[in-house]
Every structure is written in C-alpha cells, then in structure tokens.
Amino acid sequence: MLLHGLAAASRAVAAEPARNAKIGLLAECLRELGPEEAPAAVALLSGEARRLRVGVGPAALRDLPDPAGQPELGVRETEDALARIAAVHGPGAQAERRRLLHGLFARATEEEQGFLSGVLVGELRQGALDALIGDAVARAAGVPVAAVRRALMFRGSARAVAAAALTGGAAALAAFGLEVGRPVRPMLAASAPDVTAALERVRPAALEWKIDGIRVQVHREGDGVAVFTRSLDEITARVPEVVEAAAALPVRSAVLDGEAIALGPDGRPRPFQVTAARTASRQDPERLRAEVPLHVFFFDLLHRDGQDLLDLPGEQRWDALAGTVPEALRVPRTVTGDVDEAHAFFRDALAHGHEGVVVKDPAAPYAAGRRGAGWIKVKPRHTLDLVVLAAEWGHGRRRGWLSNLHLGARGGGEDGGEGGWVMLGKTFKGLTDELLAWQTEELLRREVGRSAWVVRVRPELVVEVAFDGLQRSPRYPAGLALRFARVLRYRDDKGPEEADTVDTVRELAAEGL
C-alpha cells in the first residue's frame, strides 16, 4: 500500500467519533495491507514511529520541500526511512538527519506530508493510539481482544504485537511474557467517594497509603537495576536512592511496583512539584540527592527469581513482597472488613501527610495497564483527571490569557462526545498567573479552531480537578456537571488515554457524590 492510502485511512478515523467505528476502519485498513505491511502501518498510526527518537521536532518541519505531485511512497518504505534517520549519530548527525528528512518529504504528496508531520511530532488527530490500534489488530487478525491487550501489556510495542497476531494468531500472542528489564504498563485504580463506598465494592479489603509521588517500576537482574516511570521512560540515572534500595534486596531478579517521593526531615511528604522536579532533572544526581533526598515505597511484586507473579492474587503477591522487601521500604498496609477500622487507617494516612488510601481486592491479579475494580483510590477531596477540550479568553486582569477551561472525560460516541470526549463543565479557579501563562502557550500550540471567545484544542493535556460534587445538568452530554470545580495541577505524567472515564463519573453520581 502507498502511504497515501494510510494517510487517507488516518483522516477517515479522525473524522469518525464512535470508537467501534474507528476500530472497524483501522481493522479494514490492516486487512488490506496484509501481514507484511500491516506492522509498519501500526507503528505509524499508533505513534510508535515517533518513539524511534528520530530527533525531529516542530522546528525541523517548518522549512520542508515542495510536495510531490503523485503518490509513490510505500508504507514499509516510509518506516524504513524513519528508522534510517533515527540511526544517524555522531558528528554531523543533525545535518544528515535533515538531509534524509528532506529527501523523504520531497517524495511525499501534500496529504502525506501532513500525515508524516503528525507522526513525527505526535500530533495525529485520529485518537488511534495503542489501545484503539490493539483492538483493531485483534479484529483484523481474528483473535481475542484480551490476547492482544495482554501481549501489549508485556511487549509494549504495538508493531511487534501486530506482527505476531497477523502471522501467528493467538498462539504467537501467547508467547509474549514479562521480561525483566522491559517495563510493563502499570495497573491503575478506579475511584470511590469514601472508604465506606469502597468497602461496599470490596470486603474484606487490603488498604494501603496512597503516596503522592512518582510511580516507579523497578527491574533487577543480578547486579543490574533499571527504573522506569508510569509512562515507561527510563530514569535510572536520576534516582540513585531507588537503585541502591533495589540492589540491596536478597534476590537475583525482581520486578517491583512502587512510588518514589521526596520526604522532609520530619518524614512528611514534600509538595508533589518537588518530587516531580527532582525525578525529571538530568543534572548532577548526587547533588540533587543531597538537596532533595528520595524515599521509595514498594507495594507490589510482579516477578521474583524467575517466577512471574502477575496472575497470582494480590494477597499472595504481597506475601512475596513482604518476604523480599524490608518493612521500611513497603507502603503501610492493613487488611480489614471493618468500616471503622478502615476509616481509622484512612485518617492515619492523612495525618502523615499522604493523599488517602488505595483499597485493594486481595484476590485480584495484577491487571497491567487497566483501570479495573481490583484497586480503588479514596481521597479526602473528590478529584478527577480530565482533559482540556477548549478554553475561553479571560477578562479583566486575565485578559490576554486563556482562562476558563472546558473539561472532558473519556467516553464514547453514544455519550454525544466529539471524538469520544464528554464535557463535564468549566472552571477558571485554582489558576495562578504562572499557570495561566503556561497553559495559554500550551493550549495555543494545540489549537484546532476558534470562535470569538473560545479556542478549541486537541484533547491532550490532562488536568487534575477537585470538585465538591456532581449535579444533574441537561447542558452537558452525560447529563452531569461538576460542582465548584477547581484546578489542582496539570498531570504531565499522564496522557489523555489515562484520563478518567464518564463511566467513573456516573458511578460517583450513583453513589451520591
């Protein structure tokens, strides 16, 4: 297939609001491509090609050659060209990358150039990232969706999983497993308005402190240790304290899940921004360690000495963790079915300065990359991670800044949400001058259209919003609106696919929030 056909398919997917219809369009495209070309298409459509680290940003795409008059580029040929660009290193690499990039774009039509630009800077507007592509691969290959999702969980590469599914079917997918040194997607937690509501879903339950730090997945193989974030980026060199803690454990190999957090001299957590800045910095880690020391709290063990533990019940994984990790490095935990005891544990977590608790089903396996019923987070304030859909220009002191945010949850076409996003309300509260300036710049970079007062943007920025409750509202597609919403922070550690769903919001409303 020529790249022109793939670009047209991407455009069609972007124009289709219903998720199931998107999957159908993608599956049809993959079947037409066949098992030899489809993996390359998956790499391009899913955004995986961007992770080739081709060293190309928006600035490099401003001065492109004139487009070709007729399509001639093939799909596999395009992926190979991007791989060659990514492989250029050493003296003169920037100039050589630019030469190769211009050579590729000179052979692309205007539509293909637009598609390639979106691929390279992560701005395809189709909503067809790993989760959607995974379901399309399953449909095209005629294999269970669960088998593709599990393979994606372990392998992390939509391209590799597509190649296996389309050539070897379910048997090839079953060969994927946990590999020490290769991160898996972290298990996520649903929300409940309070501890009582959480225990109504799971009882007895394991309650653990909810630490407001940086999620870390730590891999140990012999003397080697690697540390990854929730987005699967490696940060090993930045967190020597975590590396040392893992290296001291009495195991040959292990994969651990936990949180790294900056604590003050009194043992209480420092503001989240302090932890985030420390773990994001590439400066001298030893100097930063002296200024902002980190502590790691582990709460799960996914592998130990050759045995994968993901499919074991949570209580068995905890027993394995307790036999491997000293108490000082484990998150505080209790198991109870008593509401009063659970509330006391919740209050103790808050008294120590932490966010709340995570209520866990002791029988639940580790559902990597999924927000299931096995884990439920409870905070003293009600919060949701939502995506900014648009923003309104401010008035008075805020004139010149984008201020009032339009907030949306993940949903589907049946909710009436454009592109699968369901608007739940607006807010301009909680925004400092510094944050107003930052969000104005970031939102304008994502602009897709505007009216006199409203700028519509690509749904990419995730913001954590606190609110007092939910109310019925005919103004919004889901029939619900947030009461007294206010911005707590932007979640640059989360992508839009990790935003809360409209189903979560409906559950909170049903529970009387």
Side-chain angles (χ1 to χ4, degrees), residues 123 388 391 402 434-448 455-458 460-461 490 492:
E123 293 184 353
V388 180
L402 287 172
E434 180 181 3
L435 200 53
L436 282 164
W438 178 87
Q439 79 177 20
T440 299
E441 179 180 355
E442 292 296 319
L443 292 172
L444 288 176
R445 287 180 56 225
R446 294 165 171 81
E447 180 180 350
V448 296
V455 174
R456 301 189 309 280
V457 300
R458 295 192 302 277
E460 296 175 350
L461 292 180
Y490 276 88
D492 57 2

Side-chain angles (χ1 to χ4, degrees), residues 158-360:
R159 188 198 198 287
V161 170
L166 293 166
T167 57
L173 293 174
F176 288 102
L178 189 150
E179 301 175 41
V180 179
R182 185 190 297 278
V184 300
R185 297 170 183 176
M187 184 169 177
L188 306 174
S191 299
D194 53 45
V195 170
T196 301
L199 287 182
E200 288 174 356
R201 302 185 201 175
V202 179
R203 184 182 295 185
L207 282 77
E208 299 171 3
W209 285 5
K210 188 177 188 310
I211 309 293
D212 189 22
I214 295 296
R215 185 83 172 263
V216 290
Q217 190 178 121
V218 182
H219 290 239
R220 158 93 180 272
E221 184 69 68
D223 295 331
V225 175
V227 183
F228 303 91
T229 66
R230 65 179 293 141
S231 56
L232 310 188
D233 295 318
E234 186 174 354
I235 57 168
T236 308
R238 306 178 209 169
V239 288
E241 304 97 319
V242 179
V243 172
E244 291 171 7
L249 298 177
V251 291
R252 297 187 308 278
S253 64
V255 177
L256 302 113
D257 196 357
E259 293 268 341
I261 187 170
L263 300 177
D266 58 356
R268 296 177 65 81
R270 299 179 69 175
F272 173 80
Q273 290 78 6
V274 174
T275 297
R278 162 64 206 278
T279 55
S281 176
R282 298 178 183 273
Q283 298 180 17
D284 180 1
E286 291 303 324
R287 177 180 63 79
L288 292 175
R289 176 180 187 170
E291 296 173 356
V292 185
L294 293 176
H295 187 90
V296 64
F297 290 95
F298 293 115
F299 50 74
D300 219 319
L301 183 61
L302 313 185
H303 174 95
R304 183 178 67 180
D305 289 340
Q307 181 185 8
D308 293 344
L309 309 178
L310 292 91
D311 294 328
L312 294 180
E315 59 185 346
Q316 292 186 32
R317 299 198 309 277
W318 178 265
D319 289 343
L321 180 75
T324 306
V325 175
E327 184 177 6
L329 298 181
R330 299 196 308 265
V331 66
R333 169 184 171 107
T334 189
V335 179
T336 184
D338 183 82
V339 173
D340 291 339
E341 186 177 344
H343 275 283
F345 185 82
F346 176 71
R347 290 192 297 271
D348 186 53
L350 299 181
H352 282 83
H354 295 288
E355 273 196 304
V357 297
V358 180
V359 179
K360 297 183 176 181

